Amino acid sequence: RRFLASKEQFHAYLRAGDERSNGGKEEEEKIEEKKEEISSCQSEPPAKRVKSEDLGQDGESRENAGAEEKEPAERKRARGQNKSRPCMKPNHYEQSRLCPSVTQGCAEKCYFGPRCRFLHDVGEYMATKPADLGRSCVLFETFGKCIYGVTCRFAQAHLGDSYQNIVNTDLAKQWEGKSLVRNNLSKDLQHQLRKKLFSFKKADEYLRGLAKPHGGGGKGGKATGRSTEEQEVSNCTTPQEGLGDSPECPVLPEQGEDPKPDALQCPSPTAGEEASSVKTVGPVTDEDIIKLRICEKKKLEIQGKLYLAPLTTCGNLPFRRICKRFGADVTCGEMAVCTNLLQGQSSEWALLKRHHTEDIFGVQLEGAFPDTMTKCAELLNQTIEVDFVDINVGCPIDLVYKKGGGCALMTRSNKFEQIVRGMNSVLDVPLTVKIRTGVQEKINVAHKIIPKIREWGASMVTLHGRSREQRYTRGADWDYIAECAKIASPMPLFGNGDILSYEDANRAMQMGVSGIMIARQVPIGALIKPWLFTEIKEQRHWDISSSERFDILKDFTNYGLEHWGSDTQGVEKTRKFLLEWLSFLCRYIPVGLLEHLPQKINERPPYYMGRDYLETLMASQNVDDWIKISELLLGPVPTNFTFLPKHKANSYR
């Protein structure tokens, strides 16, 4: 209770900039007070009301609370996204940009020639370039070379005479030929997708089977027209595992034809099996001739492992690297829309990128129809390197639900079956499904759907213990998850929801689930405390200090500069995702300040003073203070900079 404070005391402490941090950090000296708030939609919410029994013995806090009660309180819950939030385009940062051909050292080969609208004079560019943000460049120190050259915002670390880019040849040789990030979209593949030249032989064969009328009487939408007796004969283990092996489902590729990124970046638009073939050396074995059956597909062996859920916006590659460092075993890319991938959109393909440290990695697809989902699965099967593909049947947002995707598939069992069977028939890797308890709050349907998912050929299912109507509010129903885990057997079922500490993880594993998925959680989870993976593995509460938390932000910044670039555009993109993450991180309450462990679900803390200035600054839920933290790491923000979090739960009006 001695850490509790009123709203006025909290902000007065931050304004004063009291240097009580551990060791007097130099970064705190760089904080400059903002003269005015950015906009009314970014201002602080009405002060949190603290129960009188939890306040100090003096009556000051009680008076403040009484004054706050008189404020007009529009306590309507903020949900969904800020669709009209301000967005700063890259051209706002640099009006005069240097041509990429100059940065790459081939100015004479500029594709646009005299029509190029970018600068080709390095001296002219340097005269207008914003000041450098630091003396050390993470790209130069890590890889021995910064590919951004003079455009790097830390260029003084690697620029010589006449603006020549210095290269550390010894360090650069260590990284030569190594691929740090895989699953990139090549220009040739993008051209094929945009011109509709990519061959979807397996998907087309499966979809032609769907169009055939079947004797069972339906609308021609059944995933298979085979009788139950024929399905049981083709099975090699249990009746459920062989149902996807139908005449309409094409035979899987040869086992020796694992997708190789180098050979498959540019598949031939007219080739059949040759499009995915790789030249091999050695004798022909059974694996080169005998085709795989569905029941012989590679298994997904992740039982008992910690699974970082796909997190929209914040689950980017730098954040996954942070979680991987703290002990996450399985990682998954952000939800990607299948239609955007089929169109070759670079922004959507960026969600599939995989860092070399992610040893067990999957991608999550969202779609509403079997044709696009099956084609997208075949596309990814040939062009990227993943360990599994996940179908998002748990997304609650209206944009996805109204188009028939996400949670809506739980009410469209016919389309759902066609999607699962079709994707399973064209994939060489396991197929998993993520669902919720149901659509309506008090009507659970997952226990009815899970046996069907197992029958359709999925390798694993993840169950979020909330319905669509609950979104991320209220508690997850772990008793129902335990019931579904028994129904799903022998198919693995991962549970998801309200894993706040290692005690919660232990209780979840005792429910009979095969593993746990750790997601955003409100208010705790991977986004609030990525070191939760360490706590679970080491079975302890980690009272992490503010300096350690700041070091995590430093690492995220360095990973972001590696991933998005160290030029102005890359710096501001890193800042944007850092601010999005800070909108969640501010909800963390240090373990040393809690009266009772652990922090409870859906509880927002009262205003409190941290044990040092930095800890107090990190506890602020004001956008201005998040921007201050970003300035400690990435320098001053551009003029007229504005920020509003994507999720309304983290923005106050």
Side-chain angles (χ1 to χ4, degrees), residues 416-581:
F416 192 6
E417 178 182 1
Q418 294 171 5
I419 289 173
V420 175
R421 287 190 186 277
M423 295 180 67
N424 197 40
S425 68
V426 300
L427 284 172
D428 294 339
V429 295
L431 179 69
T432 66
V433 182
K434 186 174 187 291
I435 63 174
R436 284 178 176 254
T437 59
V439 176
Q440 296 174 315
E441 183 173 349
K442 297 182 180 180
I443 304 178
N444 294 333
V445 297
H447 64 284
K448 300 178 182 178
I449 297 176
I450 288 174
K452 297 179 181 179
I453 295 175
R454 179 187 60 207
E455 178 183 322
W456 298 337
S459 299
M460 190 188 83
V461 65
T462 303
L463 177 59
H464 185 173
R466 295 182 177 90
S467 65
R468 176 184 180 263
E469 288 184 352
Q470 287 177 294
R471 300 267 178 149
Y472 300 100
T473 61
R474 306 192 183 179
D477 190 348
W478 273 94
D479 292 332
Y480 182 66
I481 294 177
E483 178 186 339
C484 290
K486 295 177 182 177
I487 296 173
S489 182
M491 179 181 66
L493 184 142
F494 270 53
N496 174 224
D498 301 355
I499 306 297
L500 314 180
S501 63
Y502 73 89
E503 295 109 323
D504 294 326
N506 295 342
R507 281 192 291 268
M509 291 302 296
Q510 293 171 2
M511 292 288 186
V513 296
S514 301
I516 54 176
M517 173 185 279
I518 298 177
R520 66 178 72 247
Q521 307 296 345
V522 184
I524 299 287
L527 288 177
I528 312 301
K529 43 185 289 190
W531 53 92
L532 177 60
F533 298 100
T534 301
E535 291 187 349
I536 293 174
K537 290 194 170 182
E538 297 183 1
Q539 295 289 292
R540 67 183 177 97
H541 292 292
W542 185 357
D543 187 11
I544 188 170
S545 66
S546 60
S547 59
E548 289 175 310
R549 291 164 62 193
F550 192 76
D551 289 339
I552 296 173
L553 296 179
K554 280 183 180 177
D555 292 336
F556 176 85
T557 302
N558 291 336
Y559 296 158
L561 294 175
E562 285 183 28
H563 185 56
W564 292 302
S566 59
D567 57 348
T568 300
Q569 189 171 348
V571 167
E572 295 311 319
K573 200 164 189 177
T574 303
R575 189 193 305 275
K576 168 193 166 185
F577 286 106
L578 174 64
L579 290 171
E580 290 284 1
W581 187 23

Side-chain angles (χ1 to χ4, degrees), residues 185 189-190 193-194 200 334-352 363-366 372-373 375-377 379-380 383-384:
L185 175 65
L189 176 58
Q190 187 178 46
L193 293 173
R194 288 178 175 177
F200 297 100
E334 301 176 57
M335 180 188 75
V337 181
C338 65
T339 51
N340 295 342
L341 294 174
L342 291 172
Q343 293 168 4
Q345 293 186 14
S346 301
S347 57
E348 206 73 18
W349 276 81
L351 305 178
L352 310 180
V363 295
Q364 187 183 69
L365 299 181
E366 182 278 321
T372 53
M373 290 290 279
K375 287 182 178 180
C376 188
L379 169 66
L380 300 187
T383 56
I384 68 172

Side-chain angles (χ1 to χ4, degrees), residues 87-95 97 568 572 638-640:
C87 179
M88 296 193 69
K89 301 292 183 183
N91 54 3
H92 290 179
Y93 302 135
E94 277 186 293
Q95 298 297 333
R97 301 180 64 183
T568 300
E572 295 311 319
T639 40
N640 301 323

Side-chain angles (χ1 to χ4, degrees), residues 228-334:
T228 306
E229 290 79 13
E230 291 174 336
Q231 293 167 354
E232 290 178 353
V233 168
S234 65
N235 181 29
C236 68
T237 51
T238 62
Q240 291 81 3
E241 292 177 354
L243 288 173
D245 197 8
S246 61
E248 293 80 35
C249 301
V251 182
L252 291 176
E254 298 178 0
Q255 195 171 16
E257 294 180 358
D258 293 334
K260 300 292 190 297
D262 297 337
L264 296 175
Q265 284 292 334
C266 311
S268 172
T270 58
E273 284 98 345
E274 292 80 11
S276 61
S277 63
V278 179
K279 293 182 179 180
T280 57
V281 178
V284 178
T285 62
D286 290 344
E287 287 82 0
D288 299 318
I289 302 173
I290 301 174
K291 308 292 184 180
L292 280 175
R293 288 184 290 179
I294 297 296
C295 56
E296 295 175 331
K297 188 179 292 187
K298 178 184 176 183
K299 303 296 183 183
L300 186 62
E301 302 291 345
I302 60 173
Q303 285 84 349
K305 296 185 181 293
L306 297 180
Y307 183 174
L308 173 65
L311 304 170
T312 308
T313 304
C314 294
N316 45 64
L317 187 144
F319 176 76
R320 297 199 304 270
R321 289 183 65 183
I322 293 289
C323 293
K324 191 68 185 171
R325 199 185 72 190
F326 281 113
D329 299 310
V330 184
T331 54
C332 187
E334 301 176 57

Side-chain angles (χ1 to χ4, degrees), residues 70 151 153 206 250 443 561 627:
K70 298 178 183 178
T151 62
R153 294 300 303 275
Y206 172 78
I443 304 178
L561 294 175
I627 294 176

Side-chain angles (χ1 to χ4, degrees), residues 7 10-17 31-34 36-38 42-45 550 553 575 578-579 582-583 586 607 613-633 637 641 643:
K7 175 182 177 180
F10 181 85
H11 288 295
Y13 176 76
L14 289 180
R15 283 194 299 269
I31 298 179
E32 297 181 2
E33 231 181 297
K34 298 288 182 183
E36 59 183 5
E37 294 182 348
I38 294 177
Q42 299 172 2
S43 60
E44 189 77 356
F550 192 76
L553 296 179
R575 189 193 305 275
L578 174 64
L579 290 171
L582 286 171
S583 69
C586 65
Y607 286 98
Y613 178 81
L614 188 58
E615 192 168 79
T616 307
L617 183 65
M618 290 179 172
S620 175
Q621 298 189 18
N622 192 323
V623 177
D624 290 345
D625 293 322
W626 303 340
I627 294 176
K628 287 179 185 178
I629 296 174
S630 78
E631 289 182 324
L632 298 180
L633 297 162
V637 296
F641 178 84
F643 174 75

Side-chain angles (χ1 to χ4, degrees), residues 205-227 231 243 246 248-249 370 412-419 421-422 452 455-456:
E205 186 177 346
Y206 172 78
L207 296 172
R208 280 194 298 270
L210 291 182
K212 295 178 182 178
H214 301 294
K219 298 182 180 179
K222 285 291 180 183
T224 175
R226 303 177 64 187
S227 65
Q231 293 167 354
L243 288 173
S246 61
E248 293 80 35
C249 301
R412 304 168 67 226
S413 58
N414 194 25
K415 295 294 183 188
F416 192 6
E417 178 182 1
Q418 294 171 5
I419 289 173
R421 287 190 186 277
K452 297 179 181 179
E455 178 183 322
W456 298 337

